[in-house]
Amino acid sequence: MKTVSQFLAFTFLIFFSMLMNAQENLITNTHNRESISLNGTWNYIIDTYETGFYNYRWKEKNENDPEAYWNKPVVNNPSDRREHGYTDANTLQVPGDWNSQDNIFKYYEGTVWYQREFDAPNLEENQRTFLYFGAVNYEAHVYLNGKKLGMHKGGFTPFNFEIPQDLLQEKDNFLVVKVDNKRHPDEIPTVNTDWWNYGGITRDVKLLVMPENFIQQYAVQLEQDQDISSAKRKKKFNIEGSLKLNKEAHAEEITVEIPELKVKEKLIANGDQLDFNFTVKKLELWSTENPKLYEVIFNFKGEILNDKIGFRKIEVSGKDILLNGKKVFLRGICLHEEIPLEARRAKNIADAKKLFGWAQDLNANMVRLAHYPHNEYMTRMADSLGVMVWSEIPVYWTINFKSDSVYNKAEKQLKEMIIRDRNKASVIIWSVGNETPVSESRTNFMRKLVETTKSMDDSRLVSAALEVGYNRNKNYIDDPLGEFTDVISVNEYLGWYGDLPGSKAQSNWDLAYNKPLLISETGAGAKGGYQGKKEQRWTEDFQKWYYEETIKMMKRMPENYSGMMPWILSDFRSPRRNHPKFQDGWNRKGLIDNHGNKKKAFYVLKKYYEDKEQEFE
Ligand code: GCB
């Protein structure tokens, strides 16, 4: 018995440390590191039966099995039997979801093998190489020249694997990724979501060229304990930071420079972690009006790493949210990582420009990146445009809150999200989930996520989108999770799910917590171009009416009301939306339709945001 439990404990430990390692090994700020892009055309095999992975006894294939799809299908003799192969006739673009690239993939959920070859770069002595993936949805097994480099789960966060030096060939490295987007009850997200399960290598792939030891992760920010008003008065700001090296260093020098602030700190590293702090004068804080970013330069053993970092303080004071000591109102909008005009995942700078262009047209100063971490182009652009960001993990609806392993998967995605974006001033809220049903196990699960977030990062707020209790004339917000989050955020759909928008006129609100209140969602569906009476559901007029009533109702919200982020910027694909005339596979709550046309409600919200901007100037 003892040995069995010891064995289980040992297995758990190994499993757990594998999970932990994934984030500890994550290399951040890959935009500014030496790399070779592996984007472009890849070959593929659709493998519905997972023949390339399992043998006929459903066991993972032996590494050298010539019929394992990670191995090059070589034919040495005419008598050799090969039953798979990669061909230029079957190609997919990376990055990109597979669903939008060929009709055969439109509804596909399962395994696709991606393959391409690449030549090694000229490496200097001791240089190391890593394969970096911005995101693969959902499960990725990565193989190079027939050897497995690793596996990653989670469709919206980055990961990297080192290539052992003796594995990298000068020419024709055979790179294969098994991608599987099947939904499972015990994964994050689970089987049920209101968005399209786009599969594939959806974000950039790079070969990172790294020195023997390097700065792997870092955080540089305003010290959180200082009183921002007195810091502004005294023109003296404390900045704190931490660094994580890939390997232990022994009395080695690292410099941190911010030339514009005349900062040049010399640090001595012993071990693989290092904390530091210093004081600066004349700091321009990052804000929505002035999204000031400073060039920060790290130098470790002659290797330079640059970043652009904004410094700001976001905090809660009673019922208000303060940015740099000043009360802010979040003129937000929710969005999915999707370009509706092409019914595909967003993936690059041009896409980020399109989405932020729409949000700024609306006069929004904030975006809720729902319901999973979006690509890094989005948060980088938010930093430079001065748009505040809510970033979330896909703990969505009813997941298995009783399972430790499900918790570990959620926590791993949370850590990957934080590590990737912790230096982005624009990110002001980490969200640990959306509309999770109240129960003891759920609240414990979510509370642990909140605590983990706070232990990793004290420089932003933590929230989760909660649900509202509807009650005639008195709606209440008293989810027990609210005790643990910094701000109370609720999704509110009175007038769409239940009743008509007119019912908002009578509704009042009770809030159990004296914390800032955000409306993290509210919205109604409308088919773009469909006009009619306002009582006619699916018309633009119905949606407009809904927004008018919502805005009126907001005036009767408790004083804690600090912003809203209606659902949603544009129509998005969803397998749950099957009305043939009005939906046709699209969630129609967008303020912009899938052809890029603005619906009437867009202008109602825009006007409200213009008024709010003036009020808070
Ligand atoms: C919600 C969900 C969101 C859905 C939306 C809807 O509350 O958070 O993911 O898409 O409602 O349209 O019903």
Side-chain angles (χ1 to χ4, degrees):
M1 223 28 226
K2 197 171 165 214
T3 43
V4 171
S5 61
Q6 273 174 347
F7 172 75
L8 286 177
F10 179 71
T11 319
F12 178 74
L13 212 81
I14 299 268
F15 174 69
F16 192 70
S17 66
M18 267 167 66
L19 281 176
M20 295 304 292
N21 283 342
Q23 321 95 42
E24 276 178 15
N25 294 335
L26 189 64
I27 301 172
T28 60
N29 187 13
T30 59
H31 282 77
N32 290 313
R33 310 225 189 213
E34 187 182 340
S35 70
I36 288 148
S37 170
L38 295 179
N39 290 347
T41 305
W42 293 50
N43 303 318
Y44 73 81
I45 299 174
I46 301 180
D47 188 14
T48 330
Y49 278 26
E50 301 193 83
T51 307
F53 192 76
Y54 294 112
N55 66 17
Y56 79 125
R57 298 292 184 211
W58 205 248
K59 294 246 156 49
E60 190 168 335
K61 281 189 167 165
N62 178 297
E63 194 164 67
N64 302 318
D65 185 334
E67 278 304 319
Y69 287 10
W70 54 81
N71 285 319
K72 204 170 188 163
V74 189
V75 177
N76 290 321
N77 301 302
S79 61
D80 284 353
R81 177 179 59 83
R82 279 295 70 82
E83 298 204 46
H84 81 283
Y86 295 94
T87 153
D88 290 352
N90 293 340
T91 59
L92 282 166
Q93 290 305 308
V94 171
D97 64 77
W98 61 51
N99 312 70
S100 62
Q101 297 195 42
D102 191 316
N103 222 21
I104 55 165
F105 288 111
K106 186 167 175 186
Y107 295 99
Y108 186 67
E109 294 188 305
T111 286
V112 173
W113 296 83
Y114 280 71
Q115 179 273 342
R116 67 163 285 161
E117 292 185 14
F118 67 91
D119 295 341
N122 286 329
L123 296 177
E124 287 160 25
E125 215 187 308
N126 294 331
Q127 271 187 326
R128 299 158 64 189
T129 50
F130 292 75
L131 280 167
Y132 176 90
F133 295 82
V136 176
N137 190 31
Y138 175 84
E139 183 174 322
H141 295 249
V142 179
Y143 305 86
L144 188 73
N145 299 331
K147 294 266 175 272
K148 187 165 189 166
L149 298 184
M151 189 274 274
H152 180 267
K153 280 187 182 188
F156 305 97
T157 44
F159 56 95
N160 45 257
F161 300 121
E162 179 161 15
I163 302 177
Q165 250 152 17
D166 54 359
L167 190 62
L168 192 65
Q169 299 163 185
E170 216 173 290
K171 295 256 164 244
D172 305 330
N173 288 282
F174 194 77
L175 173 60
V176 175
V177 185
K178 175 185 188 290
V179 182
D180 185 355
N181 74 332
K182 273 195 297 297
R183 290 166 293 128
H184 295 283
D186 277 4
E187 297 295 332
I188 304 288
T190 177
V191 286
N192 193 20
T193 63
D194 189 17
W195 70 81
W196 206 263
N197 181 25
Y198 289 109
I201 305 181
T202 51
R203 297 187 189 157
D204 294 338
V205 184
K206 305 173 192 188
L207 181 72
L208 299 173
V209 180
M210 309 298 292
E212 194 185 2
N213 195 6
F214 55 91
I215 298 170
Q216 188 157 319
Q217 301 167 1
Y218 53 88
V220 186
Q221 65 202 27
L222 275 188
E223 193 219 289
Q224 293 304 298
D225 292 342
Q226 73 198 304
D227 179 288
I228 200 74
S229 309
S230 87
K232 281 202 260 184
R233 243 188 347 266
K234 292 183 192 148
K235 292 208 170 86
K236 195 171 158 226
F237 297 87
N238 299 330
I239 293 193
E240 61 182 12
S242 62
L243 291 170
K244 184 182 177 308
L245 298 175
N246 178 260
K247 287 180 177 175
E248 296 212 340
H250 305 284
E252 284 164 86
E253 191 176 289
I254 298 178
T255 58
V256 183
E257 243 184 295
I258 310 181
E260 217 184 316
L261 294 172
K262 302 195 168 49
V263 169
K264 187 165 186 173
E265 289 290 309
K266 281 195 172 43
L267 312 167
I268 301 295
N270 275 305
D272 61 359
Q273 306 270 356
L274 185 62
D275 294 332
F276 56 92
N277 55 67
F278 50 87
T279 307
V280 295
K281 292 177 186 159
K282 282 197 184 158
L283 181 74
E284 269 180 65
L285 295 170
W286 183 96
S287 68
T288 51
E289 300 85 37
N290 178 25
K292 174 73 190 165
L293 300 176
Y294 287 94
E295 174 144 54
V296 178
I297 308 167
F298 300 94
N299 185 336
F300 177 44
K301 301 172 107 177
E303 289 292 328
I304 306 286
L305 178 62
N306 289 300
D307 204 349
K308 285 198 163 155
I309 300 183
F311 300 97
R312 55 98 186 100
K313 185 162 182 183
I314 188 86
E315 65 191 312
V316 160
S317 166
K319 56 184 174 28
D320 297 327
I321 298 177
L322 309 182
L323 176 62
N324 303 329
K326 192 174 151 211
K327 183 171 170 173
V328 277
F329 180 83
L330 307 185
R331 309 188 310 268
I333 188 72
C334 290
L335 48 132
H336 269 297
E337 189 190 38
E338 189 170 309
I339 296 295
L341 287 82
E342 293 166 48
R344 62 164 174 83
R345 274 258 172 272
K347 58 182 182 187
N348 54 27
I349 298 188
D351 291 347
K353 271 197 187 137
K354 172 118 227 142
L355 296 172
F356 278 112
W358 281 341
Q360 290 197 313
D361 251 8
L362 192 62
N363 202 25
N365 65 2
M366 186 258 176
V367 288
R368 174 179 176 208
L369 302 181
H371 284 296
Y372 38 77
H374 289 207
N375 65 65
E376 205 177 339
Y377 295 110
M378 292 296 289
T379 47
R380 288 170 69 86
M381 199 169 282
D383 256 20
S384 62
L385 293 175
V387 177
M388 296 178 279
V389 170
W390 159 309
S391 182
E392 181 164 298
I393 48 168
V395 172
Y396 183 89
W397 291 350
T398 311
I399 64 164
N400 185 351
F401 295 106
K402 293 202 167 116
S403 154
D404 287 342
S405 88
V406 171
Y407 176 80
N408 289 334
K409 290 172 195 168
E411 192 184 89
K412 175 174 158 289
Q413 294 186 32
L414 176 76
K415 290 181 171 174
E416 289 167 347
M417 169 177 80
I418 295 174
I419 291 170
R420 193 196 75 181
D421 275 350
R422 67 191 324 163
N423 290 304
K424 313 278 195 311
S426 55
V427 180
I428 57 156
I429 297 176
W430 297 127
S431 163
V432 295
N434 181 75
E435 292 185 354
T436 50
V438 178
S439 76
E440 203 185 324
S441 55
R442 165 277 194 177
T443 303
N444 286 336
F445 184 109
M446 301 300 280
R447 178 179 50 79
K448 266 166 63 189
L449 290 176
V450 172
E451 285 165 359
T452 303
T453 310
K454 287 177 176 280
S455 72
M456 288 178 73
D457 180 9
D458 63 352
S459 69
R460 32 185 72 79
L461 311 177
V462 186
S463 198
L466 308 178
E467 289 179 292
V468 165
Y470 295 111
N471 218 352
R472 201 152 269 290
N473 298 335
K474 197 80 181 167
N475 303 305
Y476 53 92
I477 301 165
D478 66 358
D479 184 318
L481 185 59
E483 196 183 323
F484 307 104
T485 57
D486 296 315
V487 283
I488 309 295
S489 309
V490 290
N491 295 352
E492 180 279 317
Y493 281 95
L494 188 63
W496 177 258
Y497 292 123
D499 258 328
L500 290 176
S503 61
K504 288 190 138 146
Q506 283 88 44
S507 63
N508 290 304
W509 293 83
D510 234 4
L511 174 63
Y513 303 96
N514 191 31
K515 296 183 180 185
L517 172 66
L518 296 174
I519 306 301
S520 37
E521 280 179 33
T522 186
K527 174 91 198 266
Y530 180 40
Q531 321 292 348
K533 288 213 169 78
K534 69 174 199 244
E535 292 80 7
Q536 180 73 49
R537 208 172 272 263
W538 302 113
T539 60
E540 287 193 22
D541 308 76
F542 185 105
Q543 190 190 39
K544 176 172 174 266
W545 181 32
Y546 179 98
Y547 271 80
E548 285 163 352
E549 294 296 336
T550 303
I551 287 165
K552 278 191 238 157
M553 188 180 80
M554 290 306 146
K555 302 205 168 103
R556 294 197 314 283
M557 278 282 160
E559 274 191 300
N560 312 48
Y561 170 55
S562 301
M564 59 146 75
M565 29 199 127
W567 192 255
I568 183 172
L569 185 61
S570 71
D571 291 354
F572 61 96
R573 302 258 286 138
S574 168
R576 297 171 56 84
R577 308 294 173 175
N578 294 316
H579 190 287
K581 185 163 168 209
F582 301 119
Q583 295 176 306
D584 195 22
W586 292 84
N587 184 315
R588 296 288 183 200
K589 296 193 188 71
L591 293 170
I592 298 176
D593 72 12
N594 58 308
H595 305 293
N597 300 317
K598 291 171 178 137
K599 303 179 194 172
K600 286 177 176 161
F602 182 96
Y603 299 98
V604 176
L605 186 63
K606 183 179 166 85
K607 171 79 179 59
Y608 176 60
Y609 281 173
E610 280 162 4
D611 296 347
K612 279 283 169 195
E613 184 177 19
Q614 287 195 350
E615 189 185 322
F616 278 81
E617 239 168 45

